[in-house]
Amino acid sequence: MPDRIFGNSLSLYYKDLQIYARTLEPNMEEAEDLVQETLYKALRFQNQYNDSMSLRGWLFTILKNTRINAFRRKKFSSGFIISDQSLVYGQLTLSAARNDGEINCVLADIERSISVLKPDYSLPMCYFLKGYKYHEIATQLDIPIGTVKFRIHAAKEILKTQLRVYEFH
């Protein structure tokens, strides 16, 4: 199928993709990014599409797989996640029993480690742990996005060293 015809065919399903993306991703901006990524991948890999396939089904599959992969990347991108004052850290213990005392101690150690960081590193890291995106942190702190990424990376490396006792063996 020629590129122009294929592109026009994709546009027929744009609204359907938006609706489906909103069912998978409640954040409106993230859902729109998901649709754009889907259309980009469809154009990029149009040679893998053939006329015997349902274009709508193929697009929905791309969208769903893109969302799953993004979720996995986000889930496994950091060693620990702090959310609403509770620590989720799968490598704390091998038992399935919940130990709030241990979790509170770990959280206190993390907070203590962050508090001894220089403010240039601790502030971007705190924003990052609260869920802000790099560009939002850069805007908030009025520094370049590259500086934000570097400072968060450096803070993570320092924290890994200071919190080495919690490594999974």
Side-chain angles (χ1 to χ4, degrees):
M1 183 181 303
D3 292 353
R4 187 173 186 179
I5 295 172
F6 188 79
N8 289 338
S9 297
L10 291 180
S11 66
L12 296 174
Y13 298 106
Y14 186 79
K15 202 62 158 166
D16 292 335
L17 289 170
Q18 284 181 314
I19 293 167
Y20 185 54
R22 291 285 293 156
T23 64
L24 298 176
E25 177 58 61
N27 181 309
M28 188 93 119
E29 289 177 12
E30 295 287 337
E32 186 60 34
D33 288 346
L34 192 55
V35 171
Q36 294 302 317
E37 180 74 19
T38 299
L39 294 174
Y40 168 75
K41 287 180 178 180
L43 287 170
R44 183 172 173 213
F45 298 109
Q46 69 179 323
N47 61 329
Q48 294 179 12
Y49 173 77
N50 64 52
D51 292 332
S52 67
M53 301 164 67
S54 162
L55 181 57
R56 184 176 188 270
W58 188 64
L59 291 170
F60 276 47
T61 301
I62 293 171
L63 190 140
K64 179 187 70 159
N65 289 339
T66 301
R67 173 64 178 103
I68 290 169
N69 291 336
F71 177 78
R72 286 180 181 154
R73 273 193 305 275
K74 190 175 186 180
K75 182 178 177 183
F76 297 111
S77 67
S78 63
F80 57 86
I81 301 167
I82 296 177
S83 173
D84 299 328
Q85 298 298 334
S86 63
L87 181 68
V88 178
Y89 191 78
Q91 299 174 340
L92 286 177
T93 180
L94 296 176
S95 76
R98 183 180 167 132
N99 185 341
D100 288 338
E102 185 177 23
I103 290 173
N104 289 335
C105 289
V106 173
L107 184 56
D109 287 346
I110 292 170
E111 288 172 351
R112 193 172 17 261
S113 295
I114 291 173
S115 71
V116 298
L117 291 173
K118 292 180 183 176
D120 285 348
Y121 296 97
S122 64
L123 197 54
M125 188 66 181
C126 286
Y127 279 119
F128 179 75
L129 291 173
K130 289 179 183 176
Y132 287 88
K133 297 187 180 345
Y134 290 127
H135 70 275
E136 294 170 328
I137 299 169
T139 303
Q140 185 72 23
L141 299 178
D142 195 29
I143 56 177
I145 194 166
T147 303
V148 169
K149 290 178 179 180
F150 171 78
R151 289 180 182 174
I152 290 172
H153 173 75
K156 284 180 180 180
E157 293 302 312
I158 293 167
L159 293 174
K160 282 181 192 176
T161 301
Q162 292 176 350
L163 300 168
R164 192 180 340 226
V165 69
Y166 297 109
E167 284 181 344
F168 180 74
H169 296 286

